[in-house]
Amino acid sequence: MEDYSQFIQQVGSWAEELLLRGISQFTLRDVEVLEQFLEETKRFQLMFLQEVVEPMIMEGRNLALGNGDEELLLRYYCRLTQYVQLSVQETF
């Protein structure tokens, strides 16, 4: 359970950092971070979170390469942060 909590905290920290930078500042490094998160979602068998992260990786990569939809990435980002918020509430 502690590993899961640490993972959720990592996702939350990354999401806060992205919020401060702004979605328009999404980079290929963020894609790499999301790919690491995806591996953890598989390890913890978090199927819904996996369904949130996978399209976020695809759209984020497109945006970082100059042909993505910033609004769509923002929707994925919001789903991710809502998941994190609910997960944190559940653990307390």
Side-chain angles (χ1 to χ4, degrees):
M1 183 69 171
E2 183 154 331
D3 286 345
Y4 171 77
S5 295
Q6 287 178 332
F7 169 63
I8 293 299
Q9 286 178 337
Q10 285 179 326
V11 175
S13 294
W14 174 82
E16 287 176 11
E17 178 193 327
L18 184 60
L19 177 64
L20 293 174
R21 283 188 286 140
I23 293 290
S24 62
Q25 301 300 314
F26 196 92
T27 66
L28 290 176
R29 174 68 186 128
D30 294 306
V31 171
E32 292 172 6
V33 170
L34 285 171
E35 287 172 339
Q36 292 170 359
F37 291 159
L38 183 59
E39 291 305 312
E40 289 296 305
T41 63
K42 291 175 182 177
R43 184 170 78 97
F44 289 114
Q45 299 178 352
L46 304 170
M47 300 311 294
F48 180 76
L49 185 55
Q50 185 176 340
E51 291 175 12
V52 172
V53 173
E54 286 176 337
M56 192 171 183
I57 290 170
M58 291 178 10
E59 194 57 42
R61 182 176 286 117
N62 288 339
L63 184 65
L65 295 174
N67 59 350
D69 184 342
E70 191 173 320
E71 190 173 313
L72 182 57
L73 184 61
L74 179 60
R75 279 190 242 146
Y76 294 140
Y77 171 82
C78 290
R79 288 179 68 197
L80 178 70
T81 57
Q82 288 170 340
Y83 183 95
V84 168
Q85 185 176 15
L86 288 173
S87 294
V88 168
Q89 287 175 356
E90 288 292 317
T91 59
F92 291 110

